[in-house]
Amino acid sequence: TGSKCEAMSSELAESKHSSSIPEQEFIEDVAGYAKKFESVQAALQNMDVMLSKYRFMEQQMLAQRQALVAKQPDLQRSVDMVEKLIKAQEEGEDVKTTFQLGTSLYADAEIPMSDELEVGLWLGANVMVQFPLPEAYGLVQDNLTQCQSIIDTLDTDIDFVKDQIVTSEVNIARIYNNDVRERQARAAEQD
């Protein structure tokens, strides 16, 4: 049974979505599909395994999407701040701002403008690097664009996985219903 389940899973894996998510095919010939397995339970188990994998993928992608959506406002604020500094640098005027030091703790600052002005950007893992304003703007803008692009890709992949979940559920119901019909037909023949 295990080798047949693995064979069916590898066949399923050969049919790929653009982001390498296997596509669940709709089973047209339910009786023929069920005969590939030792029992109907084995066929149902194979479909249930794929359904579980799709649900796991969906949960992972939804969590990843939620984390990226939560980062978007910070990325946008970074882009806006660097744009404000570039504009102030072009106009040659100092910038007065309030920035957050910690939770509910803010400080006022005056940033003197010069041609050598650099911006410190957090790269992660407690690492901050200073960049000239144009380079900083390119970096934060690229990060924001990449974040939106990943969210768009995740949206497409989540929709695809939801379709695969529905197809899997329909296949499971059709296999089960076919088994019930066959048992009823066998029982009717015996009577």
Side-chain angles (χ1 to χ4, degrees):
T1 307
S3 63
K4 285 190 178 183
C5 287
E6 291 168 11
M8 293 302 293
S9 292
S10 68
E11 285 177 16
L12 192 60
E14 288 174 12
S15 171
K16 300 271 185 178
H17 179 251
S18 63
S19 66
S20 75
I21 300 170
E23 184 175 359
Q24 180 68 2
E25 292 184 29
F26 179 76
I27 301 171
E28 296 287 340
D29 180 14
V30 178
Y33 176 82
K35 288 178 184 174
K36 295 177 184 178
F37 296 89
E38 291 178 14
S39 67
V40 172
Q41 288 304 319
L44 287 169
Q45 182 180 8
N46 183 56
M47 278 289 143
D48 194 46
V49 166
M50 288 307 298
L51 178 60
S52 296
K53 288 179 182 179
Y54 286 128
R55 286 187 174 146
F56 178 75
M57 281 187 257
E58 179 186 33
Q59 289 172 349
Q60 294 299 310
M61 286 188 277
L62 286 170
Q64 184 181 4
R65 183 187 188 286
Q66 185 176 6
L68 288 171
V69 167
K71 286 181 184 179
Q72 264 186 318
D74 287 339
L75 292 171
Q76 186 60 55
R77 276 192 294 277
S78 295
V79 169
D80 294 344
M81 189 62 205
V82 173
E83 284 176 344
K84 181 177 181 178
L85 290 172
I86 289 172
K87 182 179 177 190
Q89 186 181 43
E90 289 170 353
E91 294 173 358
E93 59 186 51
D94 294 348
V95 174
K96 292 182 181 179
T97 186
T98 303
F99 61 96
Q100 187 173 7
L101 293 173
T103 306
S104 300
L105 182 60
Y106 294 87
D108 291 329
E110 186 170 327
I111 303 169
M113 286 297 128
S114 72
D115 291 338
E116 296 86 35
L117 183 66
E118 291 186 338
V119 176
L121 297 177
W122 289 106
L123 299 181
N126 291 328
V127 174
M128 180 183 268
V129 177
Q130 287 185 315
F131 294 95
L133 285 178
E135 193 176 332
Y137 179 76
L139 184 63
V140 294
Q141 186 63 46
D142 287 349
N143 286 347
L144 181 61
T145 303
Q146 184 178 16
C147 181
Q148 186 57 52
S149 173
I150 293 170
I151 289 171
D152 293 344
T153 301
L154 282 170
D155 286 343
T156 301
D157 289 348
I158 289 167
D159 288 344
F160 180 78
V161 167
K162 285 180 180 181
D163 289 344
Q164 303 321 297
I165 289 171
V166 169
T167 302
S168 298
E169 290 171 339
V170 168
N171 285 343
I172 289 170
R174 293 184 77 226
I175 293 168
Y176 180 79
N177 291 339
N178 184 65
D179 181 50
V180 169
R181 277 192 300 273
E182 287 179 357
R183 280 190 276 145
Q184 287 173 345
R186 282 193 299 268
E189 288 174 8
Q190 291 177 357
D191 288 343

